[in-house]
Amino acid sequence: MNILVVFDHPRRDSFCGAVLDSFVAGIARAGHRPEIADLRAEGFDPRLPVADEPDWDDGDKVYSADVLAEQARISRNDAIAFVFPVWWWSFPATTKGWIDRVWNNGWAYGDRKLALRRALLIGTASADAAAYAKRGYDEAMRVQLVVGMMNYCGIARADLEILYDVMASDDARAALLARAGELGEGYLRLRTKPWREDRVRLSPLSRSIEVPFQVHALGQDADHIDPVRVLLVEDHMRGDRELEVARANLVDAASQRGSFGERPHH
């Protein structure tokens, strides 16, 4: 499998760069083919120009040559990963700008979605896990990055892995590098972590059944599920006829109602 690995750090020789190396080595050991997109080294401009503004009335808009080149790079890969330092509980600005410009209307959301099979986000953090959990920064990041970006753009299998406390000690850093290698080797075996997993009674079906869901919006009315906001947990769907029927009903409902009208930017 071809995996695009997006790297964003001002120093390639940083600890974050070492995480990248360990992760890519793990990918290669597993028999996959990594392609590195080092956004800083390549000089990618994260500022969104007029040429790359989404046109809500034209899902077939042709974007700038820079964006087309990045979209081609994504298209020749089967999956994607991000390696980045956590700044202000999110991506650095260059990665955010890359998504703003490249994952654009009509290509990554709207009329079309990304065809990528998998996404893994690896963030390095100076604070420990307890500090993130204390104020819910970790869950806020998952909602923003995994649900709001990866899932929204069609990547159902997506995870965020935060490597905490990277400045603690040499031993701690060695353990984190080993973990990055494990993430590379086990890229396809990782299970998606649900933000909130419910058992929801679906309606209408030929007969009511209870189906596990990953629910992306709190307070969702089970009888009026918006399929764009709800992601069936793939592991529960394989080989289960009832769940296939449920998915078919959701897709049919989506085509009749249309997706919810939220737009990711601008």
Side-chain angles (χ1 to χ4, degrees):
M1 184 170 68
N2 299 317
I3 303 172
L4 180 63
V5 185
V6 181
F7 176 69
D8 185 1
H9 195 284
R11 289 178 291 108
R12 181 62 179 82
D13 61 353
S14 62
F15 179 72
C16 195
V19 168
L20 171 69
D21 292 337
S22 183
F23 175 67
V24 168
I27 289 175
R29 286 195 298 273
H32 304 306
R33 295 166 296 280
E35 177 181 355
I36 298 174
D38 187 339
L39 300 182
R40 301 295 186 100
E42 295 172 6
F44 180 80
D45 187 351
R47 297 173 299 175
L48 190 147
V50 172
D52 294 330
E53 280 192 295
D55 185 340
W56 308 119
D57 297 321
D58 182 8
D60 296 315
K61 177 177 177 177
V62 177
Y63 296 102
S64 67
D66 288 344
V67 165
L68 293 178
E70 294 300 317
Q71 291 177 345
R73 176 151 65 174
I74 293 171
S75 295
R76 66 175 173 257
N77 283 277
D78 306 301
I80 195 167
F82 296 82
V83 178
F84 60 97
V86 177
W87 290 351
W88 292 108
W89 330 117
S90 189
F91 287 138
T94 307
T95 302
K96 178 58 168 59
W98 185 77
I99 290 175
D100 285 346
R101 290 187 65 189
V102 180
W103 294 29
N104 219 319
N105 180 50
W107 192 80
Y109 64 90
D111 292 346
R112 302 170 191 85
K113 300 279 188 175
L114 296 176
L116 297 170
R117 294 168 51 190
R118 186 82 172 85
L120 176 61
L121 289 62
I122 303 174
T124 59
S126 297
D128 59 21
Y132 271 67
K134 181 178 180 180
R135 292 181 174 83
Y137 295 142
D138 49 356
E139 284 306 304
M141 286 182 64
R142 286 190 178 92
V143 174
Q144 178 200 169
L145 303 179
V146 175
V147 178
M149 296 183 188
M150 304 298 122
N151 296 163
Y152 185 94
C153 291
I155 310 174
R157 297 186 64 202
D159 287 287
L160 170 66
E161 177 91 10
I162 302 175
L163 302 180
Y164 296 104
D165 223 2
V166 300
M167 300 177 69
S169 67
D170 289 343
D171 288 344
R173 288 157 75 94
L176 293 174
L177 291 177
R179 174 59 179 159
E182 293 170 357
L183 290 170
E185 286 192 77
Y187 183 85
L188 282 181
R189 296 193 301 273
L190 294 172
R191 288 180 60 87
T192 298
K193 301 174 183 177
W195 173 36
R196 197 191 77 175
E197 194 172 283
D198 287 341
R199 296 190 67 82
V200 181
R201 187 170 294 278
L202 284 178
S203 176
L205 291 176
S206 56
R207 61 190 183 87
S208 295
I209 58 174
E210 288 191 352
V211 187
F213 276 89
Q214 180 173 326
V215 179
H216 291 164
L218 295 174
Q220 191 82 280
D221 183 344
D223 289 327
H224 299 87
I225 296 173
D226 192 323
V228 180
R229 289 178 180 267
V230 178
L231 175 65
L232 281 165
V233 179
E234 291 291 334
D235 286 344
H236 296 287
M237 297 179 66
R238 296 191 179 97
D240 193 318
R241 175 59 184 161
E242 289 186 334
L243 292 177
E244 291 297 330
V245 171
R247 174 159 60 179
N249 275 267
L250 286 177
V251 171
D252 181 63
S255 65
Q256 293 181 27
R257 287 204 306 273
S259 63
F260 66 103
E262 296 176 7
R263 290 170 176 166
H265 53 70
H266 319 300

